[in-house]
Amino acid sequence: MNKQRGPSDVKVKLNAERLESIINECFRQNIVIKDVVRTDSNSVTFLTPLSSMGDLESIVSQYGGDIEVLKPSLMESYRDLIRRRVGFFTGILVFVTILIVLSQMVWKIEIRGADPDIEQTIVAGLEDIGLQIGTFQFLLPSPAGIQKEILDKTDGVTWIGVERKGTAYYLNVAEQSLPEEKETPSPRHIISKKTAVVQSIYAEKGQVVVQENDLVKKGDLLISGFIGKGENAKAVPASGKVLGETWYKTTVELPIKQKVNTLTGPTTKMYAIQLFGLRLPVWGFSAKEEYDDYVVTERVFNPAIKEWELPAAWVVTTYSEKNTTEQSSSVQEAKKHAQKAARYKMKKRLPKEAHIKDEKILQSRTQDGKVKLVIHYQVIEDITSEAPIIQGD
Amino acid sequence: MFDRLKYKAKHWVTGKMNLPEDVLLDVPRLTMIGQLHLHVENHRGILHFSNEQVRLKLTQGEILINGENFVIKNILPDEILLEGTIVEIRYVNDHDMGGSHE
């Protein structure tokens, strides 16, 4: 038997002369009454569901008596509580709703095992389907559907596995490893790119027509694409490597006296808050006046959520004391510097495989506090270039 | 006369067929758990209810329950669960109770 008070049970006090008759009438009409206790000679208290209060009242009035509610039902009292704390309960409700809504969104898309370009096409394809960060999951097709669609849209992949874990989508990509397409180049000659002295020849295909230490000019034939003699002659794509010695002349100019900036050590810092581009210093106002000459370094700490930067930032400006001295070096040293600079300049100009064999200073002049050098370089580099054979058939 | 015959027939059937009497006869079935609970089935209404005494109407006669701190835990058209300290249960037949019928 249920001893507990139900959520809709109201505690009622009934005052009447003929209590027993009322109780009898109640259960005859199937009104549930529980926990009937006699309080005094003509009153009882009992529990009854809220829904049968109307019937009960009509019976009571019929028999002559009055009824009073001692305790409202739990349901009613909770309803009152909720009504009193509307803000709190709406807050809970809003929170739960937001939580549920946010948990239905896609927060992460991770593509694993794809090249950047394939990844790009996959991302574009996903956007077509509608899968991007911030969309609702229930608007999307199932992972299997996405998988099928994205697989149709993307070339160069054998398989894409789409997996959903909570709010994240993981795409495992298995790329197609096609056998590399071998170019079948058309027949060609190897010719010289520039004027040089041939150093070494290595012909993979074709007929070598020059010898080591030959001087070749730009456009000269190095390896011929025609092989065989007489009837067996045919044209092939010649290939090979011909290293040649080439020459370069560089001019550099460098002042003898050089300005050198050195930091002396002490620093002061200024802190500021930056709001919407407006900078408000909060500490170290006089940091700027501390030194005559200084180097300024600025670090901005800007909190950002994804790509969205907050308009507020913390700026730390560091002023470091600087000392500028003029360093005058000897002419000899200046020349050394200039030579180094020239070499650096050359290396930047030459292709990677090339190397400098020798260098010679052709001219060195000191004038107006400057050193001027003209240097001649001997460089070994690849001089091959391709020239197609146009066949008249 | 006819009622009496019917009653006798019922009595005979229950006796011969080994059926529980409360199934066929209109008599109450009382289940009591210590002094704490009394479960009465087949009653016909409450005649009196107070903390010390409960009187229930039956098809024939009435039942009188004496005790302390009575609470009617539950009441249904032919079932009642009484809680409290039960001291005495007594059947009161029609002829010795002077007719305070409802």
Side-chain angles (χ1 to χ4, degrees):
Chain A
M1 202 99 340
N2 188 15
K3 279 183 192 171
Q4 268 167 342
R5 194 176 164 199
S8 67
D9 286 351
V10 188
K11 192 163 188 180
V12 162
K13 186 173 183 176
L14 177 63
N15 296 306
E17 290 291 323
R18 292 158 65 201
L19 285 167
E20 286 83 3
S21 320
I22 294 175
I23 293 169
N24 287 338
E25 190 56 35
C26 281
F27 65 71
R28 236 168 260 139
Q29 290 195 16
N30 271 325
I31 294 170
V32 180
I33 54 176
K34 283 192 279 191
D35 276 0
V36 188
V37 183
R38 190 87 184 203
T39 43
D40 57 67
S41 60
N42 52 8
S43 67
V44 285
T45 60
F46 57 86
L47 297 174
T48 189
L50 193 63
S51 55
S52 48
M53 276 299 279
D55 292 337
L56 187 70
E57 268 166 34
S58 64
I59 294 167
V60 171
S61 63
Q62 207 179 305
Y63 280 85
D66 64 280
I67 192 164
E68 63 181 289
V69 175
L70 291 182
K71 251 190 226 168
S73 67
L74 290 175
M75 222 163 67
E76 281 177 300
S77 48
Y78 280 127
R79 203 181 55 205
D80 287 352
L81 180 78
I82 288 168
R83 221 170 257 172
R84 249 180 296 140
R85 298 263 186 277
V86 166
F88 180 69
F89 285 99
T90 45
I92 288 177
L93 210 73
V94 166
F95 169 73
V96 170
T97 341
I98 288 173
L99 196 76
I100 290 167
V101 165
L102 292 185
S103 72
Q104 291 303 309
M105 286 169 117
V106 177
W107 284 110
K108 191 180 171 190
I109 299 166
E110 205 177 293
I111 298 166
R112 287 186 282 214
D115 277 348
D117 57 332
I118 288 177
E119 195 176 316
Q120 207 57 45
T121 53
I122 290 173
V123 167
L126 289 177
E127 270 171 27
D128 280 351
I129 299 167
L131 176 58
Q132 51 190 356
I133 287 168
T135 49
F136 288 105
Q137 282 174 11
F138 51 80
L139 298 176
L140 295 170
S142 67
I146 294 173
Q147 185 168 332
K148 193 171 170 293
E149 226 168 303
I150 195 72
L151 208 52
D152 288 344
K153 276 184 185 176
T154 323
D155 296 326
V157 291
T158 17
W159 180 77
I160 299 172
V162 180
E163 194 187 353
R164 184 165 70 87
K165 271 187 190 158
T167 57
Y169 275 84
Y170 295 99
L171 282 92
N172 292 305
V173 181
E175 265 181 54
Q176 233 164 38
S177 48
L178 288 172
E180 264 181 55
E181 258 183 67
K182 271 218 174 142
E183 290 175 66
T184 43
S186 52
R188 64 185 184 197
H189 295 303
I190 296 289
I191 57 161
S192 177
K193 196 156 62 176
K194 50 183 82 172
T195 310
V197 171
V198 176
Q199 284 281 309
S200 73
I201 310 157
Y202 165 67
E204 229 177 291
K205 251 184 210 168
Q207 183 75 42
V208 180
V209 288
V210 287
Q211 282 184 328
E212 278 179 30
N213 296 323
D214 276 1
L215 177 76
V216 289
K217 291 210 174 78
K218 190 180 175 181
D220 279 2
L221 192 64
L222 297 175
I223 303 167
S224 169
F226 293 117
I227 53 168
K229 272 178 188 164
E231 279 179 26
N232 300 323
K234 59 174 181 176
V236 293
S239 68
K241 203 171 180 183
V242 178
L243 295 181
E245 189 186 308
T246 51
W247 309 280
Y248 294 90
K249 209 163 91 177
T250 342
T251 312
V252 281
E253 236 179 33
L254 216 67
I256 296 170
K257 280 184 182 175
Q258 277 170 310
K259 270 190 183 173
V260 178
N261 292 329
T262 48
L263 297 180
T264 54
T267 57
T268 51
K269 282 178 178 173
M270 188 183 86
Y271 302 94
I273 290 169
Q274 189 172 298
L275 279 171
F276 300 102
L278 191 74
R279 195 165 290 187
L280 304 164
V282 290
W283 194 254
F285 300 99
S286 60
K288 215 173 182 174
E289 287 98 59
E290 204 82 356
Y291 315 116
D292 299 329
D293 205 359
Y294 51 81
V295 178
V296 183
T297 44
E298 198 177 83
R299 288 176 65 188
V300 180
F301 301 95
N302 195 355
I305 301 161
K306 289 253 170 200
E307 291 100 47
W308 188 67
E309 286 183 348
L310 290 183
W314 180 245
V315 184
V316 179
T317 317
T318 310
Y319 295 93
S320 314
E321 196 184 16
K322 188 176 78 172
N323 200 1
T324 310
T325 47
E326 262 190 9
Q327 220 174 39
S328 59
S329 44
S330 65
V331 177
Q332 210 64 36
E333 261 177 85
K335 271 184 191 171
K336 235 184 224 168
H337 282 303
Q339 209 171 338
K340 233 187 219 171
R343 215 184 161 85
Y344 179 71
K345 205 165 135 192
M346 270 309 293
K347 273 194 175 155
K348 265 175 94 175
R349 220 169 85 185
L350 291 170
K352 259 188 189 164
E353 317 87 69
H355 73 271
I356 296 164
K357 188 189 171 195
D358 201 9
E359 63 180 85
K360 247 180 228 156
I361 298 169
L362 298 180
Q363 224 181 73
S364 91
R365 226 178 7 201
T366 318
Q367 184 183 337
D368 301 334
K370 278 181 182 173
V371 177
K372 191 178 178 187
L373 287 181
V374 180
I375 307 171
H376 178 260
Y377 288 98
Q378 275 171 279
V379 178
I380 307 290
E381 64 179 314
D382 191 9
I383 53 165
T384 56
S385 157
E386 290 155 8
I389 300 169
I390 295 135
Q391 280 170 313
D393 63 336
Chain B
M1 220 272 287
F2 207 71
D3 277 357
R4 200 174 154 75
L5 207 72
K6 203 167 128 192
Y7 180 80
K8 273 200 164 177
K10 275 184 181 174
H11 211 84
W12 185 81
V13 167
T14 49
K16 289 289 170 199
M17 294 181 79
N18 233 350
L19 287 170
E21 281 81 356
D22 64 300
V23 179
L24 281 173
L25 305 177
D26 246 355
V27 290
R29 184 195 178 101
L30 273 71
T31 314
M32 202 171 162
I33 300 158
Q35 273 187 292
L36 303 169
H37 285 279
L38 179 66
H39 188 213
V40 183
E41 286 166 69
N42 259 333
H43 73 95
R44 291 286 167 267
I46 300 170
L47 292 176
H48 173 79
F49 170 68
S50 72
N51 283 339
E52 286 82 34
Q53 196 183 55
V54 176
R55 261 164 61 202
L56 297 175
K57 194 185 166 195
L58 303 174
T59 318
Q60 283 187 333
E62 55 189 66
I63 192 167
L64 188 81
I65 304 142
N66 283 319
E68 287 155 32
N69 305 323
F70 281 151
V71 174
I72 298 172
K73 278 315 260 187
N74 217 330
I75 188 160
L76 294 167
D78 54 359
E79 226 178 286
I80 184 164
L81 182 73
L82 197 67
E83 201 184 70
T85 314
I86 295 143
V87 176
E88 187 191 9
I89 301 170
R90 193 147 59 90
Y91 280 92
V92 183
N93 288 322
D94 276 341
H95 45 84
D96 38 63
M97 61 154 286
S100 84
H101 268 266
E102 213 203 326

Short mmCIF file of all heavy atoms in Angstrom, two decimals, chain A residues 15 41 45 66 109 133 138 198 212 283:
data_model
loop_
_atom_site.label_atom_id
_atom_site.label_comp_id
_atom_site.label_asym_id
_atom_site.label_seq_id
_atom_site.Cartn_x
_atom_site.Cartn_y
_atom_site.Cartn_z
N ASN A 15 -14.79 19.51 8.29
CA ASN A 15 -15.63 19.70 9.48
C ASN A 15 -17.06 19.39 9.09
O ASN A 15 -17.61 20.02 8.20
CB ASN A 15 -15.56 21.15 9.96
CG ASN A 15 -14.17 21.53 10.41
OD1 ASN A 15 -13.60 20.86 11.26
ND2 ASN A 15 -13.61 22.56 9.79
N SER A 41 -14.17 15.62 17.63
CA SER A 41 -15.46 14.92 17.48
C SER A 41 -16.11 15.11 16.11
O SER A 41 -16.73 14.19 15.60
CB SER A 41 -16.41 15.36 18.58
OG SER A 41 -16.61 16.77 18.47
N THR A 45 -8.94 14.89 9.15
CA THR A 45 -8.02 15.37 8.11
C THR A 45 -7.67 14.18 7.24
O THR A 45 -7.58 13.05 7.73
CB THR A 45 -6.73 15.94 8.71
OG1 THR A 45 -6.07 14.92 9.45
CG2 THR A 45 -6.99 17.12 9.62
N ASP A 66 -17.98 21.97 6.14
CA ASP A 66 -17.04 22.80 5.39
C ASP A 66 -15.69 22.12 5.30
O ASP A 66 -15.36 21.22 6.08
CB ASP A 66 -16.93 24.20 5.99
CG ASP A 66 -16.36 24.18 7.37
OD1 ASP A 66 -17.13 23.87 8.32
OD2 ASP A 66 -15.14 24.43 7.52
N ILE A 109 36.09 19.86 -37.39
CA ILE A 109 36.20 18.98 -38.54
C ILE A 109 37.68 18.69 -38.72
O ILE A 109 38.47 19.63 -38.91
CB ILE A 109 35.61 19.61 -39.81
CG1 ILE A 109 34.13 19.91 -39.62
CG2 ILE A 109 35.80 18.69 -41.00
CD1 ILE A 109 33.54 20.82 -40.66
N ILE A 133 31.95 24.18 -39.53
CA ILE A 133 31.86 24.46 -38.10
C ILE A 133 30.69 25.40 -37.85
O ILE A 133 30.55 26.44 -38.50
CB ILE A 133 33.19 25.05 -37.60
CG1 ILE A 133 34.23 23.93 -37.56
CG2 ILE A 133 33.03 25.66 -36.21
CD1 ILE A 133 35.63 24.40 -37.36
N PHE A 138 21.72 17.80 -36.93
CA PHE A 138 20.51 17.16 -37.43
C PHE A 138 20.11 17.65 -38.81
O PHE A 138 19.24 17.07 -39.43
CB PHE A 138 19.35 17.32 -36.42
CG PHE A 138 19.12 18.73 -35.98
CD1 PHE A 138 18.43 19.61 -36.77
CD2 PHE A 138 19.60 19.17 -34.75
CE1 PHE A 138 18.20 20.90 -36.36
CE2 PHE A 138 19.39 20.46 -34.33
CZ PHE A 138 18.68 21.34 -35.15
N VAL A 198 83.51 23.77 -71.14
CA VAL A 198 82.95 22.52 -70.65
C VAL A 198 83.91 21.87 -69.66
O VAL A 198 85.10 21.74 -69.92
CB VAL A 198 82.67 21.58 -71.84
CG1 VAL A 198 82.17 20.23 -71.34
CG2 VAL A 198 81.68 22.20 -72.79
N GLU A 212 85.55 17.85 -73.32
CA GLU A 212 85.96 18.66 -72.18
C GLU A 212 86.92 19.76 -72.63
O GLU A 212 87.70 19.57 -73.54
CB GLU A 212 86.64 17.77 -71.13
CG GLU A 212 85.61 17.06 -70.26
CD GLU A 212 86.25 16.15 -69.23
OE1 GLU A 212 87.37 16.44 -68.80
OE2 GLU A 212 85.60 15.13 -68.89
N TRP A 283 50.99 51.87 -16.52
CA TRP A 283 52.19 51.82 -15.66
C TRP A 283 53.41 52.20 -16.49
O TRP A 283 53.47 51.91 -17.68
CB TRP A 283 52.36 50.41 -15.07
CG TRP A 283 53.35 50.39 -13.95
CD1 TRP A 283 54.60 49.89 -13.99
CD2 TRP A 283 53.17 50.91 -12.65
NE1 TRP A 283 55.22 50.06 -12.80
CE2 TRP A 283 54.35 50.68 -11.93
CE3 TRP A 283 52.10 51.57 -12.01
CZ2 TRP A 283 54.53 51.08 -10.60
CZ3 TRP A 283 52.28 51.95 -10.69
CH2 TRP A 283 53.48 51.71 -9.99
#
